[in-house]
Amino acid sequence: MADRGRGSAKGAMRGGGSSRGGRGPQGPQPTLDKPKREAILDLQKYMNERVRVKFTGGREVTGILKGFDQLLNLVLDEVEEQLQEPEPRTRTLGLAVLRGPTITLLSPVDGSAEIDNPFAEQQ
């Protein structure tokens, strides 16, 4: 291809010989030592304990926590789903993988008890 009078030799790069874009130094960038992000929830203390999980949409299950990851995906064993409609009952599901983005509440079953609503009007 003919040089079109731009003052550059064939094959030479503009911008000081850098790669495409012409910005920044060549080669790998130095890494910044960032502290590792600590998880907000420490689910390790609930391993092999019974937990209650509520989902968007209103579904609710209880089971034994067997595993989890950083996205809050959970593995539960001996899972039972609490169904409210048409009448309250439970359905046994066994081993289940629960997707983290759909979970709205996670709480241990042991140590929690149902109490009367303190804000309800007394009759």
Side-chain angles (χ1 to χ4, degrees), residues 25-119:
Q26 293 277 28
Q29 297 292 322
T31 59
L32 299 175
D33 292 333
K34 292 184 181 179
K36 188 172 181 180
R37 296 178 80 185
E38 192 171 321
I40 295 172
L41 292 175
D42 181 21
L43 297 180
Q44 191 65 39
K45 59 186 170 186
Y46 299 115
M47 289 293 287
N48 297 313
E49 298 286 331
R50 187 164 284 281
V51 294
R52 177 180 315 275
V53 180
K54 291 187 180 183
F55 299 95
T56 54
R59 296 178 86 175
E60 183 177 336
V61 299
T62 60
I64 299 172
L65 181 64
K66 294 294 183 180
F68 62 93
D69 65 7
Q70 69 272 16
L71 300 175
L72 202 62
N73 296 317
L74 306 177
V75 177
L76 267 59
D77 196 11
E78 300 177 23
V79 177
E80 292 181 342
E81 180 181 13
Q82 287 73 38
L83 301 168
Q84 302 300 324
E85 308 259 337
E87 70 270 347
R89 64 184 177 96
T90 61
R91 178 172 71 163
T92 302
L93 301 177
L95 185 68
V97 177
L98 313 178
R99 291 196 59 237
T102 62
I103 295 173
T104 58
L105 181 130
L106 174 67
S107 68
V109 172
D110 295 337
S112 61
E114 188 172 331
I115 63 169
D116 292 331
N117 185 349
F119 301 106

